[in-house]
Amino acid sequence: NAGVMQNPRHLVRRRGQEARLRCSPMKGHSHVYWYRQLPEEGLKFMVYLQKENIIDESGMPKERFSAEFPKEGPSILRIQQVVRGDSAAYFCASSMDRGRSDNEQFFGPGTRLTVL
Amino acid sequence: DAKTTQPTSMDCAEGRAANLPCNHSTISGNEYVYWYRQIHSQGPQYIIHGLKNNETNEMASLIITEDRKSSTLILPHATLRDTAVYYCIVRVNSGGSNYKLTFGKGTLLTVNP
């Protein structure tokens, strides 16, 4: 049973380019969460999605960042016109359901974005 | 969600029990205590969670004080592969934005040979 998969594992972009990060949830999971971890800091929640719906994007920067989770295919976190401050590790997690006490989130290995 | 306080770092000898404390004095009655860990360069890994009773699984034990203001994660026989940052998180059982895991700085546990 494969875990949460993320690709690429490492991504290098120059300032102004676009970054696309992909996340395939665990089999049977329909809830996806994206977190960002800046250097030397803890993970911070960005966005929560279900299939074809954004449930909560309160942690997303207002500009340049967007996320989707289409009916078919992986969830995508898209960063347009990247800046050096976007350099971070981006983690995706998935769960079967939300709101239940035994509903843990399973995390992927992360994508490490470096902006030159 | 209630705030948690953890020591910045701890050391443990290989084969010994590692006891990681967490203070959550403002925890509410409907908030659970969750533990995750993050091994270097990997994603966080769920370890265990509980409400008020002590819990045990194949990875660890969780001891929650009777007043629920603090808890201890116990790794009974620490190995070198347990070296990681351990996060104690409290969050509500259901409703609202309970899906948001709020990670603090955690405790860096170093297991020494």
Side-chain angles (χ1 to χ4, degrees):
Chain A
N1 184 17
V4 177
M5 293 190 290
Q6 291 187 248
N7 67 82
R9 294 292 308 276
H10 300 274
L11 182 62
V12 179
R13 286 287 179 266
R14 297 189 183 280
R15 282 179 295 170
Q17 291 184 319
E18 178 181 284
R20 279 182 178 249
L21 288 64
R22 296 175 187 77
C23 169
S24 296
M26 285 181 68
K27 186 176 181 181
H29 287 192
S30 58
H31 300 252
V32 166
Y33 317 81
W34 285 92
Y35 291 81
R36 178 167 68 172
Q37 186 172 33
L38 295 170
E40 308 303 322
E41 293 188 15
L43 281 78
K44 297 286 192 288
F45 168 83
M46 297 181 74
V47 62
Y48 162 36
L49 310 103
Q50 294 180 32
K51 285 284 187 181
E52 300 184 280
N53 286 306
I54 297 174
I55 307 302
D56 181 353
E57 57 182 349
S58 59
M60 291 266 277
K62 294 286 185 282
E63 297 177 349
R64 304 185 296 109
F65 284 71
S66 62
E68 63 177 10
F69 188 16
K71 187 176 180 181
E72 301 291 338
S75 175
I76 306 285
L77 179 67
R78 182 182 178 207
I79 311 172
Q80 294 179 291
Q81 299 176 328
V82 296
V83 300
R84 289 220 173 102
D86 297 332
S87 295
Y90 293 82
F91 292 97
C92 167
S94 72
S95 67
M96 288 185 70
D97 196 359
R98 60 156 288 191
R100 286 169 44 188
S101 62
D102 58 351
N103 173 39
E104 64 262 30
Q105 294 179 20
F106 293 86
F107 284 80
T111 294
R112 276 148 189 85
L113 172 66
T114 301
V115 179
L116 301 178
Chain B
D1 291 342
K3 183 178 176 180
T4 63
T5 305
Q6 299 177 252
T8 302
S9 63
M10 293 182 65
D11 286 307
C12 177
E14 188 178 17
R16 295 294 191 99
N19 299 288
L20 292 96
C22 179
N23 287 323
H24 31 79
S25 59
T26 60
I27 192 170
S28 301
N30 63 344
E31 286 183 314
Y32 282 67
V33 180
Y34 280 75
W35 284 84
Y36 282 77
R37 74 179 181 183
Q38 188 175 20
I39 296 171
H40 182 62
S41 297
Q42 297 183 22
Q45 177 189 22
Y46 165 83
I47 301 173
I48 198 167
H49 76 280
L51 181 62
K52 55 183 178 181
N53 297 320
N54 297 337
E55 302 288 344
T56 296
N57 63 20
E58 64 277 5
M59 289 184 68
S61 294
L62 175 60
I63 308 298
I64 302 174
T65 58
E66 194 167 340
D67 63 7
R68 303 208 324 121
K69 293 184 186 297
S70 65
S71 60
T72 301
L73 178 75
I74 300 173
L75 307 179
H77 304 287
T79 70
L80 298 178
R81 287 180 295 180
D82 291 322
T83 293
V85 177
Y86 287 77
Y87 298 98
C88 169
I89 297 168
V90 294
R91 64 170 172 142
V92 296
N93 176 18
S94 63
S97 57
N98 70 312
Y99 46 81
K100 289 183 187 178
L101 295 178
T102 302
F103 291 82
K105 296 218 187 268
T107 296
L108 173 59
L109 174 68
T110 302
V111 180
N112 300 305

